[in-house]
Amino acid sequence: MKIIQAADYEDLSLKAAQLLAAEILLRPEAILGLATGSTPIGLYEQLVLMHQKGLLDFSQIKTVNLDEYRGLDPEDDQSYAWFMNHHLFQHVNLNRANTHLPDGSNPDAEAECTRYDHLIKSLGGIHVQLLGLGNNGHIGFNEPDEVFPKGTHCVELEASTIEANARFFANPEDVPRQAYTMGIQTIMMAKRILMVVSGKGKADILDQVCYGPITPKVPASILQLHRHVCIVADEEALSTIHQHQRLNKS
Ligand code: F6R
């Protein structure tokens, strides 16, 4: 695991955007695995700026997102499809036919998960997967569990995840209770992984992810086994790691 230390959220967003931009420049037809949540928003802003300056071309890029709430239509402004349009897709020259998310409006969970796995396979896999980190160590919506789930599946969201995501909804009761998410195996099969982590609230879990035991109870801990993981984290998120003196301060 390579850990890149950023001073603050702005610095993290810039550094992570530069890393993703480098992937796009090296491979203009890359398959990007994308994430939602609040952490990557600054990174997406930076990518949009680079595109507007003529530095980044998305015309051949294909994207697959990690997850989507089950029961939300892509047009719903709380859906992850809406989030991606709003923060990235509509601002760059991505061919919309090349952008993919699980379809939250499909009530048939088995059919939707199978479709999504086939789609990722048919694209030839993911070149670089962007991840955020949940407060409970989740990646995508792979919640703490007894086993590492493999392919795309439907999950019951944990109370802590519902609580964390309630900030995006008018009422906490509106937060969907289920989601479709890529599985851990699919994430681990990505050639490269870029994880962004910000804030004091993530400090303890980030320490467990990087230096604790590999366990499905901390789903992101499996990233210790991936050959090409780069974590960009700000000082607050790195505070527990620094407290334990596991990493030299930059
Ligand atoms: C979102 C996703 C989630 C988030 C995680 C952190 O697509 O897969 O795993 O990355 O919940 O969310 P934030 O960045 O809002 O703290």
Side-chain angles (χ1 to χ4, degrees), residues 161-231:
T161 300
I162 293 168
E163 197 186 314
N165 290 3
R167 67 190 193 277
F168 301 115
F169 291 79
N171 300 303
E173 308 82 61
D174 296 342
V175 186
R177 269 35 188 177
Q178 292 183 321
Y180 296 137
T181 181
M182 242 184 231
I184 294 285
Q185 188 180 47
T186 313
I187 293 172
M188 288 296 281
M189 281 171 69
K191 292 196 171 57
R192 293 180 182 278
I193 291 181
L194 173 64
M195 186 157 87
V196 284
V197 192
S198 173
K200 187 108 192 75
K202 301 276 174 72
D204 288 353
I205 194 71
L206 181 60
D207 183 49
Q208 287 181 52
V209 165
C210 299
Y211 300 102
I214 298 167
T215 163
K217 297 199 186 310
V218 181
S221 63
I222 199 163
L223 297 177
Q224 291 178 37
L225 299 177
H226 195 286
R227 281 165 168 244
H228 298 290
V229 178
C230 178
I231 298 175

Side-chain angles (χ1 to χ4, degrees), residues 9 34-41 44 65-69 80 83-84 101 129-143 161 164-165 167-168 181 187 195-198 202:
Y9 180 70
L34 298 179
T36 60
S38 48
T39 316
I41 291 177
Y44 291 144
N65 261 78
L66 281 169
D67 42 20
E68 179 60 283
Y69 288 119
Y80 285 171
F83 175 104
M84 290 310 303
L101 289 97
Q129 176 65 56
L130 176 64
L131 298 174
L133 177 64
N135 294 326
N136 58 5
H138 73 212
I139 44 176
F141 273 132
N142 293 281
E143 300 282 40
T161 300
N165 290 3
R167 67 190 193 277
F168 301 115
T181 181
I187 293 172
M195 186 157 87
V196 284
V197 192
S198 173
K202 301 276 174 72

Side-chain angles (χ1 to χ4, degrees), residues 113-174:
C113 295
T114 305
R115 178 194 74 82
Y116 205 59
D117 277 341
H118 284 164
L119 173 94
I120 296 169
K121 217 177 238 174
S122 72
L123 293 174
I126 296 165
H127 292 114
V128 55
Q129 176 65 56
L130 176 64
L131 298 174
L133 177 64
N135 294 326
N136 58 5
H138 73 212
I139 44 176
F141 273 132
N142 293 281
E143 300 282 40
D145 205 339
E146 297 303 318
V147 291
F148 290 110
K150 288 183 178 163
T152 304
H153 56 290
C154 180
V155 283
E156 301 290 330
L157 299 182
E158 278 212 339
S160 65
T161 300
I162 293 168
E163 197 186 314
N165 290 3
R167 67 190 193 277
F168 301 115
F169 291 79
N171 300 303
E173 308 82 61
D174 296 342

Side-chain angles (χ1 to χ4, degrees), residues 3 12 14 75-76 87 97 127 134 172 245:
I3 300 181
L12 172 156
L14 191 56
E75 300 304 320
D76 191 309
H87 290 289
H127 292 114
Q245 299 182 326

